Amino acid sequence: MRTLLEFEKPIAELEAKLEDMKKLASENNVDVSSAVRNLTNSIEELRKETFTNLTRWQRVQLSRHPDRPYSLDYIQMMCEEFHEIHGDRNVGDDPAIVGGFGNIDGQTVMIIGQQKGRKTKERQYRNFGMPNPEGYRKALRLMHMAEKFDIPVVTLIDTPGAFPGLEAEERGQGEAIARNIKEMMTLKVPVICVVIGEGASGGALGIGIGDRVLMMENSWYSVISPENCSTILWRSWDFKEQAADALKLTAEDMKGFGLVDGIIPEPRGGAHLDFDKAGETLKKTILSEIKTLAKQKPSDRIDARIDKFCSMGVVVE
């Protein structure tokens, strides 16, 4: 069964009517092509109107859509081969972060992504996409491996935040994220980071420092989620929509602020409606960026990367 968000329901109702009309016409051998064509046009117009005028909160809802493709879905769609590597060689493995060597149309990459789960047991296994310190240390180990073999790094960001549990703090959550930020600044290979869903706080930044930082059209990137922002400011989750507007966290907002380098378009209605098209668009974008970045000297890439992030938030009066 397809999961429907509130603003998707009017479209789904028309689609159901269209299917009933086609079924009835088939069973009774009646020509309703004109009515089908008119209803199809109405559905397309409603879909265009709905998804062209989404609020920031609705974008957040789309980014969390349970049917939306996750990191492993994109990896499967983009890579002819993928060899996952486990463990941080210190504490253990963190299933909330997956990574390994992938082959995308003949281009070898080190691809690292934050992975959520669909069913209850998988969500628990993946810790709802909230990495522990060993996840970030595993990611850094894979990045250094990529640097050793001169292979580009691609990261897929989709997390509600780093795991905030006591045990994660005891094992150095803040230090692990800070070290990743520092080390990613000076990686000698091309680094492309893509926010494919949720990009929350330091949990996203832990694998989010790159030559190119891109966002899928219906993703968000912010220091805090709308719900938590609402809780802090209004002592309630009821103001999450106002918080989302105040945070200005959409891909379009981030591009306007100069905090990301580009927006990757999704199929109309969201990536969950057409996995193949979303995956193909992402693949083409990644290969294009790798081709561009490969022409630069490593030292020039590093200097540009550092300058880009150091200039963020600077105000000249």
Side-chain angles (χ1 to χ4, degrees), residues 127 130-134 137 162-175:
N127 202 30
M130 296 185 292
N132 279 280
E134 49 269 27
R137 291 179 178 128
F163 183 57
L166 177 61
E167 60 271 30
E169 297 297 337
E170 289 175 341
R171 294 197 299 275
Q173 183 74 287
E175 185 275 339

Side-chain angles (χ1 to χ4, degrees), residues 122-164:
E122 188 185 357
R123 287 171 184 163
Q124 291 174 332
Y125 175 66
R126 301 287 182 184
N127 202 30
F128 300 88
M130 296 185 292
N132 279 280
E134 49 269 27
Y136 291 106
R137 291 179 178 128
K138 173 173 72 172
L140 185 58
R141 180 171 83 86
L142 298 185
M143 292 175 201
H144 284 159
M145 191 181 297
E147 188 176 43
K148 177 180 179 181
F149 295 107
D150 194 26
I151 295 169
V153 172
V154 175
T155 68
L156 304 178
I157 299 165
D158 187 13
T159 180
F163 183 57

